[in-house]
Amino acid sequence: MAVDILWSPEPIITIQRLFGSSWNWLFEALSQFGTAKAVTVMFALALWVWGRQLAYGLLGVVLLGTVIDVLIWTIFPVPRPHDPQIIIRTHPGVPSFPSGHTVTATTLWGTLTAFGRLPAVISVCIVLLVMLSRLYLGVHYLADLLGGAAIALILVVAYQRFWPMLVRWFSGRTFQFFLVLGLSAPIAVFPFTSFSPRGWELFGYAVGLGIGMPLEYWYVRYSPAKISRRKQVLKVAIGLGGLVTLVLVFRLMISSGLVREAVTSGFAALWIAFLAPALFASMGLSRHLPRTR
C-alpha cells in the first residue's frame, strides 16, 4: 500500500545508498536551514533591514511551531527509524514525529515568502533540501517530514490571515506589557531545558531577548532608515560580523556544553535585539520610533 511507504525505512535506505557516505558534510550543512541558528540569522536580518514588525512576527510563528512540536512529541512519542540497514548519522534525542527541522524550516522560510520577502521557489527548495537531509541522516521517516511540513504550512497560512488583527492588538499595548512579556519569556522557556539539550539554547535566546527588547525599546527605539544600498550592506556586515565574533569568543571561553549554548545564544540575542541596533543608531543608520507608555 502507498501509505506503508510513509513509515517504511526504504526511502531512507535508498537516499543513503544513492549519495553514499562522502556527502555527510553537505547534508549536515543543509539541515542547519531548519535550526535555531537559521532562525537567529534571519531574525537579525529581518529586524535590522525590514523592522521589528516582521522580525517579531517571524519569531512568533517559529516559536508557535516549536511549541506544537514539543506538545506532539510529549503526547505521541513516536520512535526514530531503527532498521539495521539505516545508518544513523546524528542523534536528536527527541521523538520522531513531526520533524522539528521541517517545521522550523517551513515556518521560517514560508513566512518570509508569505510576507513577500523571499520568492516561493527559494523557500520550497530550502524546505525540500532540509527534508532530504533528514532522510539522509537517517533520523526521520517520510511521514515525519510530510507531517511536519503540513503542520507548518497550516501555521503559516493561519498566521498570514490573522496577522493584521495581531498587529492591531499588539500596537495597542503599553511598554509595561512588553516589558513583562519579555521578562516572562525565560520562565516560560525554562521547562524545555529538561526536554532536550537544545532547550538550553532556547533558554539563552529567551533571556537575551527578554533583556534586549525592553532596553532597545526604551533607549534606542530602532527603525530601519532609508539608506543607500552600500550603507545597507555595511550595516548588515557589521551586524553579522559582531554576531559571529560574539559566538566565537564565548565558544572559546566556555568549555561546558550546555552552559556554552545558553550563554552564547543569550549574548547573540542581546546583540541582535539591542547592542547592534544601538550601534546602528549611533552611526546614523537608523531612525527613531515614537515611544509609547
Side-chain angles (χ1 to χ4, degrees):
M1 293 178 63
V3 71
D4 293 338
I5 198 70
L6 296 176
W7 299 104
S8 169
E10 289 306 317
I12 305 172
I13 297 168
T14 300
I15 293 297
Q16 291 186 337
R17 288 176 178 173
L18 177 64
F19 288 96
S21 59
S22 60
W23 293 96
N24 186 63
W25 64 272
L26 175 62
F27 288 105
E28 285 281 6
L30 291 173
S31 193
Q32 296 305 308
F33 283 92
T35 64
K37 295 178 179 62
V39 176
T40 300
V41 173
M42 295 313 300
F43 170 72
L45 293 177
L47 178 63
W48 300 338
V49 176
W50 297 310
R52 67 179 68 212
Q53 190 176 110
L54 176 63
Y56 290 117
L58 186 66
L59 186 63
V61 70
V62 172
L63 288 176
L64 184 58
T66 302
V67 170
I68 292 174
D69 281 345
V70 173
L71 288 175
I72 296 176
W73 292 339
T74 304
I75 299 171
F76 306 105
V78 178
R80 293 275 173 176
H82 57 277
D83 189 278
Q85 297 183 74
I86 295 175
I87 301 172
I88 309 296
R89 292 187 165 93
T90 186
H91 300 276
V94 294
S96 189
F97 182 90
S99 164
H101 282 73
T102 303
V103 172
T104 298
T106 307
T107 51
L108 174 62
W109 304 103
T111 300
L112 287 171
T113 293
F115 287 91
R117 302 298 181 179
L118 193 68
V121 65
I122 295 179
S123 294
V124 170
C125 287
I126 291 174
V127 171
L128 289 177
L129 287 172
V130 169
M131 294 168 71
L132 182 65
S133 74
R134 304 312 285 170
L135 284 176
Y136 176 85
L137 295 173
V139 291
H140 282 295
Y141 294 111
L142 270 179
D144 304 330
L145 303 172
L146 296 176
I151 291 169
L153 282 173
I154 292 171
L155 279 177
V156 171
V157 171
Y159 205 72
Q160 184 185 29
R161 180 173 180 179
F162 290 105
W163 179 245
M165 182 179 68
L166 291 172
V167 170
R168 287 195 298 271
W169 190 85
F170 278 104
S171 297
R173 307 281 74 79
T174 63
F175 169 72
Q176 287 76 10
F177 170 84
F178 290 105
L179 178 63
V180 172
L181 182 65
L183 297 179
S184 300
I187 300 174
V189 172
F190 185 75
F192 288 82
T193 58
S194 62
F195 188 82
S196 167
R198 287 300 179 190
W200 286 103
E201 185 178 25
L202 293 176
F203 178 72
Y205 284 126
V207 172
L209 287 175
I211 296 172
M213 286 170 59
L215 288 175
E216 183 277 322
Y217 183 85
W218 195 254
Y219 292 106
V220 183
R221 304 186 305 284
Y222 172 84
S223 180
K226 291 184 178 180
I227 55 179
S228 67
R229 181 169 296 183
R230 183 178 178 181
K231 288 185 177 180
Q232 194 74 268
V233 171
L234 174 64
K235 179 172 69 174
V236 170
I238 291 172
L240 293 181
L243 179 63
V244 171
T245 301
L246 274 175
V247 170
L248 290 177
V249 166
F250 283 108
R251 286 193 175 279
L252 290 173
M253 288 176 55
I254 304 173
S255 58
S256 175
L258 296 181
V259 175
R260 183 176 62 236
E261 291 297 327
V263 173
T264 301
S265 58
F267 275 94
L270 184 63
W271 169 261
I272 292 169
F274 172 57
L275 297 176
L279 178 60
F280 299 151
S282 69
M283 296 173 66
L285 299 175
S286 72
R287 59 187 179 88
H288 296 282
L289 290 173
R291 181 185 297 157
T292 59
R293 294 181 180 274

